[in-house]
């Protein structure tokens, strides 16, 4: 994968995705691709809820062009420039001009049960909509799939972590958080936690450094209910906390 090209392409699209998060996506998408090979799985598909001008979706589109999987977009308003950008990258994008809450009633959910490799939740930021989006995406998530939730820790949207934690701790979910950082949370199924957690613990800060981002990988506590790493702006050491890599 030509990551420099993918990152350069998204740089020219208006949107809020942080440059360091774009790099994290590329690193995790490549790690996930490796899992399809050793786990005997096949190429699974990507979904974005809330696309605006396609900054984050351009990354997913670039990976589908390389891996031969598909990208679905859900947004009540798909802008013509978004469509032409994504279609210029790959021919495998489908568009659903609707609110994500209505996915539960359509064919897309049934056709994609346990099929998705990546779901980016960046649509309606209300508490109820986030709970609904996480629930829908969990149903569609494949074994080594990743759900990325945007605006997870910002002063503007405290309802987003509230909604995610409510979902995680009050439903019989199979999801857990393996990474938090730069406004985003990354969740996977329990079966995939060890793989992604070990990958992050060993690699992510070095891979980010190679891409020009000096960060600290953080883990200051462990618990069976919450065992995620964090990445943060550089704290003077490449790792911070006694539990990094565990
Ligand atoms: C913050 S922007 C998304 C930014 C985008 N992911 C990017 O990379 O730049 C939020 C988007 O969510 C869409 N949206 C709002 N309500 C939605 C809903 N109920 N379901 C899906 N998308 C929604 C908006 O139309 C808007 O395009």
């Amino acid at each position: 994968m030509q990551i420099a090209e993918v990152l350069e392409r998204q740089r020219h699209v208006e949107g809020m995705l942080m440059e360091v998060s774009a790099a994290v996506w590329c690193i995790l998408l490549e790690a996930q691709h490796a899992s399809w090979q050793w786990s005997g799985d096949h190429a699974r598909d990507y979904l974005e809820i809330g696309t605006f001008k396609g900054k984050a979706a351009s990354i997913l589109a670039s990976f589908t062009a390389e891996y031969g999987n598909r990208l679905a977009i859900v947004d009540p308003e798909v802008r013509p420039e978004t469509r032409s950008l994504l279609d210029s990258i790959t021919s495998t994008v489908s568009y659903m001009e609707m609110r994500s809450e209505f996915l539960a009633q359509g064919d897309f959910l049934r056709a994609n049960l346990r099929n998705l490799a990546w779901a980016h939740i960046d649509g309606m930021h209300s508490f109820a909509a986030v709970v609904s989006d996480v629930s829908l995406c969990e149903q569609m998530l494949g074994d080594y799939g990743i759900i990325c939730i945007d605006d997870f820790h910002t002063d503007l949207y405290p309802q987003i972590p509230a909604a995610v934690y409510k979902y995680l701790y009050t439903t019989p979910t199979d999801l857990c958080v393996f990474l938090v950082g730069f406004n985003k949370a990354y969740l996977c199924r329990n079966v995939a936690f060890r793989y992604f957690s070990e990958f992050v613990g060993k690699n992510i800060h070095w891979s980010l450094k190679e891409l020009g981002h000096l960060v600290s990988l953080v883990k200051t506590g462990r618990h069976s209910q919450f065992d995620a790493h964090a990445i943060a702006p550089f704290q003077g050491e490449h790792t911070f906390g006694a539990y990094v890599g565990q």
Side-chain angles (χ1 to χ4, degrees):
M1 193 70 204
Q2 299 297 323
I3 286 184
E5 282 175 25
V6 177
L7 293 173
E8 181 59 17
R9 185 181 286 127
Q10 63 80 37
R11 232 166 249 143
H12 297 285
V13 185
E14 184 188 340
M16 303 297 286
L17 181 70
M18 295 170 79
E19 185 70 26
V20 63
S21 287
V24 169
W25 277 37
C26 292
I27 294 163
L28 290 178
L29 284 161
E30 282 202 324
Q32 180 181 67
H33 182 245
S35 80
W36 296 340
Q37 283 146 10
W38 59 252
S39 70
D41 208 350
H42 59 84
R44 298 199 173 273
D45 297 328
Y46 303 147
L47 167 71
E48 184 175 63
I49 295 174
T51 298
F52 187 45
K53 296 197 176 175
K55 189 175 180 70
S58 74
I59 298 174
L60 299 177
S62 301
F63 277 77
T64 66
E66 179 82 11
Y67 295 160
N69 51 349
R70 295 173 298 180
L71 167 62
I73 298 298
V74 181
D75 196 306
E77 183 197 0
V78 179
R79 294 158 186 262
E81 70 263 38
T82 306
R83 203 181 272 259
S84 67
L85 166 72
L86 299 177
D87 290 347
S88 74
I89 300 170
T90 176
S91 60
T92 60
V93 188
S94 60
Y95 302 91
M96 290 171 276
E97 282 203 86
M98 60 190 283
R99 287 161 50 193
S100 57
E101 300 93 297
F102 295 110
L103 278 178
Q105 296 152 21
D107 295 338
F108 184 79
L109 172 63
R110 277 189 295 281
N112 284 283
L113 290 172
R114 289 192 89 106
N115 174 53
L116 295 182
W118 191 277
H120 186 211
I121 297 179
D122 194 10
M124 173 62 76
H125 282 22
S126 71
F127 182 98
V130 173
V131 171
S132 165
D133 286 347
V134 176
S135 170
L136 280 166
C137 289
E138 175 170 11
Q139 294 173 65
M140 292 188 279
L141 203 68
D143 282 357
Y144 285 83
I146 291 174
I147 296 176
C148 174
I149 298 172
D150 189 52
D151 286 319
F152 191 70
H153 283 153
T154 71
D155 291 342
L156 295 177
Y157 305 107
Q159 66 272 24
I160 293 182
V164 172
Y165 291 130
K166 161 95 174 167
Y167 182 84
L168 288 176
Y169 298 127
T170 64
T171 70
T173 179
D174 187 33
L175 296 177
C176 49
V177 183
F178 70 91
L179 180 65
V180 176
F182 299 106
N183 299 349
K184 292 188 181 288
Y186 298 86
L187 284 65
C188 66
R189 290 193 177 279
N190 281 294
V191 68
F193 178 80
R194 191 161 170 197
Y195 173 64
F196 287 122
S197 183
E198 283 185 7
F199 175 83
V200 163
K202 285 185 188 141
N203 298 301
I204 203 154
H205 47 319
W206 302 123
S207 303
L208 283 169
K209 193 173 176 201
E210 278 172 22
L211 293 172
H213 301 283
L214 198 56
V215 302
S216 290
L217 180 63
V218 183
K219 196 163 180 183
T220 56
R222 293 202 72 185
H223 195 280
S224 59
Q225 296 282 298
F226 191 84
D227 201 20
H229 283 88
I231 38 172
F234 191 61
Q235 306 289 307
E237 302 284 347
H238 293 294
T239 60
F240 183 83
Y243 301 95
V244 170
Q246 296 184 30

